[in-house]
Amino acid sequence: MKKQPIALLDCNNFFVSCERLFRPDLLGKPVLVLSSNDGCVVARSQEVKDIGITMGVPYFQIKDIIKQHDVQIFSGHLALYRDVSRRVFEVLHDCVDVVEQYSVDEAFFVIPPDTDVEVFITTVKQRVEQAVGIPVSIGVGLSKTQAKCAGALAKKTNGLHVLTEQSWPDVAASLPISSVWGVGRGLSAKFTGHGIKSVSDLLAAPTYQIGVLFGVVGKRLQAELSGTSCDPVAQKRMLQKSLMSTRSFATSTESKDVLYDAAAYHARHIAADLRLMGAAVAALQVSIRASRHGDFCLRGGTREVVFTVPTNDTFTLTNAAESAIDALYEAGVPYQKVGVSVVEITAQSAVPHTLFATEMTDNTPLLKAMDAINLAAGSELITIGSRLKTKSWQARSDRRSPAYTTRWSDIATVSA
DNA sequence: TCTGGGGTCCTAGGACCC
DNA sequence: TCTGGGGTCCTAGGACCC
């Protein structure tokens, strides 16, 4: 059977492109987007990359250079980006059958059989860019890993790159092993230590030796790079395996009430997400941490609460989260972060009826109504489990753009 | 003074069993 | 004084990704 090429569609400088969508005056100007709490750089326009500002660098370290080059700054606005992302992939789904969304700004898809690859991806790129207005790149190879390599090359040219059997050996020789998808700092150092510096070096190494030294991860990388796909494009999106909500505080705190409040905030957001997914969970984990950069960096911990029956009930989850805080809290520690996560997510339809729940109240109608109101408001109008009147612990987002697409009051006005 | 948030997968090691 | 070997399952932690 002939191998069907795999493509990767990647939105260019995605968060920056989203901001520019509603601020076309910023096209061609240096723009960057900051993480929550305006902590560090998470997206850069090409102009910002050219200045030499690197990914993930703390904001306070680059304030001078930002001023010097008149860089435009935005606080990360995930709701906006998610909405734009949804539109991008809607168009992609219109173009192809087999699509696997990989992240908020990337998706793999299978090139349909008997298609001219170049023509096909050119059309896809044009359709997305015309319909949504976000510039995208597309790379094509025989595996996801090859497609990622092609995608990187695409960004350096006109946004399209197709690897062929003829071009691949030269490309492989020019690609450092550290640039490969799945090769991070640790693996890269280990590869280099064994004399494997480029993709060709890895392809030339005996497979059994790679297996011994690098385990299944190494063998899979080698196969994928040689054009044998080990990870097919998944047509159906399965239920995700875990879900978490975490946030650093604007400033650290020793207040237990703040921890309660933050834990409840995360728990009810997870509960709402679960209901949206039609899913339930059997356990919830809460973790609290002090600052990573200080005397208390090792303080904190994780606590799990198990439910007798899988649930997505906001009251149950917030109560569990607060009881976990009770167990974890130590007076006198300046806490910086609270996170709540759930694993083993199951479809709600698969939740068994229990023999043990004696008088379980069914809050479903109430919670459904609450979800609908909050969704329509575009913010948390109704909350459960809050103890504090203010959200003083919440992160700073001083330079956040309006919710152009998800909040009625923020819709852009057009004058003609 | 100020360093993100949300995921997946793999591995090693312990508990437990026969 | 002697004290197996092999298997499974679970968990915590690490590496990696966007």
Side-chain angles (χ1 to χ4, degrees):
Chain A
M1 202 177 81
K2 193 177 173 300
K3 290 181 194 168
Q4 226 31 64
I6 293 174
L8 172 75
L9 177 142
D10 192 342
C11 301
N12 301 344
N13 314 327
F14 183 55
F15 294 175
V16 167
S17 298
C18 290
E19 297 293 347
R20 281 175 168 168
L21 204 51
F22 299 92
R23 292 283 309 276
D25 57 302
L26 296 180
L27 286 165
K29 293 186 181 157
V31 176
L32 65 76
V33 176
L34 298 172
S35 65
S36 137
N37 230 1
D38 292 347
C40 44
V41 175
V42 291
R44 305 161 294 156
S45 71
Q46 189 56 49
E47 299 76 17
V48 171
K49 293 176 186 172
D50 293 342
I51 292 170
I53 293 176
T54 52
M55 189 70 169
V57 67
Y59 173 47
F60 72 89
Q61 287 179 5
I62 51 168
K63 277 188 172 161
D64 289 344
I65 192 164
I66 282 173
K67 192 174 265 180
Q68 192 187 326
H69 289 87
D70 195 23
V71 178
Q72 299 292 310
I73 300 162
F74 290 91
S75 302
H77 191 160
L78 234 50
L80 174 66
Y81 310 149
R82 267 201 284 262
D83 195 55
V84 176
S85 164
R86 185 181 54 75
R87 294 166 193 226
V88 168
F89 296 122
E90 252 174 37
V91 177
L92 184 58
H93 275 284
D94 269 353
C95 300
V96 258
D97 290 331
V98 187
V99 177
E100 177 187 340
Q101 192 177 338
Y102 172 66
S103 72
V104 70
D105 71 330
E106 285 174 59
F108 293 102
F109 61 93
V110 178
I111 304 283
D114 308 317
T115 314
D116 182 313
V117 178
E118 297 273 0
V119 172
F120 187 77
I121 61 174
T122 305
T123 311
V124 171
K125 177 169 153 71
Q126 282 170 353
R127 282 189 61 182
V128 171
E129 291 180 347
Q130 198 182 1
V132 189
I134 295 284
V136 299
S137 305
I138 301 178
V140 180
L142 290 176
S143 63
K144 286 181 180 173
T145 310
Q146 278 195 356
K148 288 287 277 188
C149 295
L153 295 173
K155 292 201 169 173
K156 292 183 180 165
T157 55
N158 63 346
L160 299 171
H161 193 99
V162 180
L163 291 174
T164 62
E165 280 183 40
Q166 292 73 43
S167 69
W168 179 235
D170 286 341
V171 171
S174 72
L175 287 178
I177 196 72
S178 59
S179 71
V180 172
W181 184 47
V183 179
R185 253 209 343 253
L187 256 185
S188 175
K190 201 168 159 194
F191 273 128
T192 312
H194 286 92
I196 295 171
K197 300 192 180 73
S198 69
V199 170
S200 333
D201 293 339
L202 177 57
L203 290 174
T207 301
Y208 75 89
Q209 201 177 5
I210 294 299
V212 170
L213 292 170
F214 300 94
V216 295
V217 176
K219 284 211 283 196
R220 199 163 47 205
L221 271 172
Q222 195 188 42
E224 282 258 318
L225 285 167
S226 74
T228 303
S229 171
C230 304
D231 181 17
V233 178
Q235 164 82 293
K236 264 188 94 172
R237 182 141 177 82
M238 287 172 297
L239 219 47
Q240 66 189 110
K241 307 206 163 145
S242 68
L243 192 61
M244 62 167 96
S245 178
T246 63
R247 207 126 313 161
S248 299
F249 300 148
T251 51
S252 60
T253 179
E254 295 179 20
S255 156
K256 197 172 179 183
D257 277 342
V258 170
L259 299 193
Y260 276 142
D261 205 57
Y265 170 89
H266 295 306
R268 64 178 183 264
H269 277 258
I270 284 178
D273 278 353
L274 287 170
R275 290 193 291 272
L276 204 61
M277 294 161 60
V281 290
L284 167 142
Q285 288 177 353
V286 177
S287 64
I288 62 178
R289 291 270 170 273
S291 171
R292 285 183 293 162
H293 310 275
D295 296 343
F296 292 89
C297 62
L298 296 176
R299 304 305 277 274
T302 303
R303 191 84 179 187
E304 186 174 70
V305 180
V306 177
F307 309 118
T308 47
V309 186
T311 181
N312 58 27
D313 181 280
T314 300
F315 296 97
T316 309
L317 293 173
T318 49
N319 284 339
E322 296 197 359
S323 71
I325 294 291
D326 280 332
L328 290 166
Y329 178 78
E330 273 183 279
V333 175
Y335 291 105
Q336 186 70 47
K337 185 174 184 173
V338 168
V340 176
S341 67
V342 291
V343 292
E344 285 180 51
I345 298 170
T346 55
Q348 201 171 6
S349 55
V351 172
H353 293 286
T354 174
L355 293 172
F356 305 107
T358 44
E359 41 183 317
M360 194 103 107
T361 340
D362 185 8
N363 297 316
T364 311
L366 169 65
L367 294 170
K368 268 194 171 154
M370 184 184 76
D371 288 343
I373 291 169
N374 286 342
L375 194 67
S379 67
E380 246 195 336
L381 217 56
I382 302 179
T383 64
I384 293 169
S386 286
R387 302 191 172 206
L388 304 178
K389 292 220 165 52
T390 68
K391 282 278 176 285
S392 57
W393 56 271
Q394 291 215 342
R396 294 183 300 270
S397 312
D398 300 337
R399 305 155 182 281
R400 191 178 164 117
S401 53
Y404 297 110
T405 66
T406 52
R407 188 179 297 182
W408 285 109
S409 59
D410 287 359
I411 287 178
T413 310
V414 179
S415 313

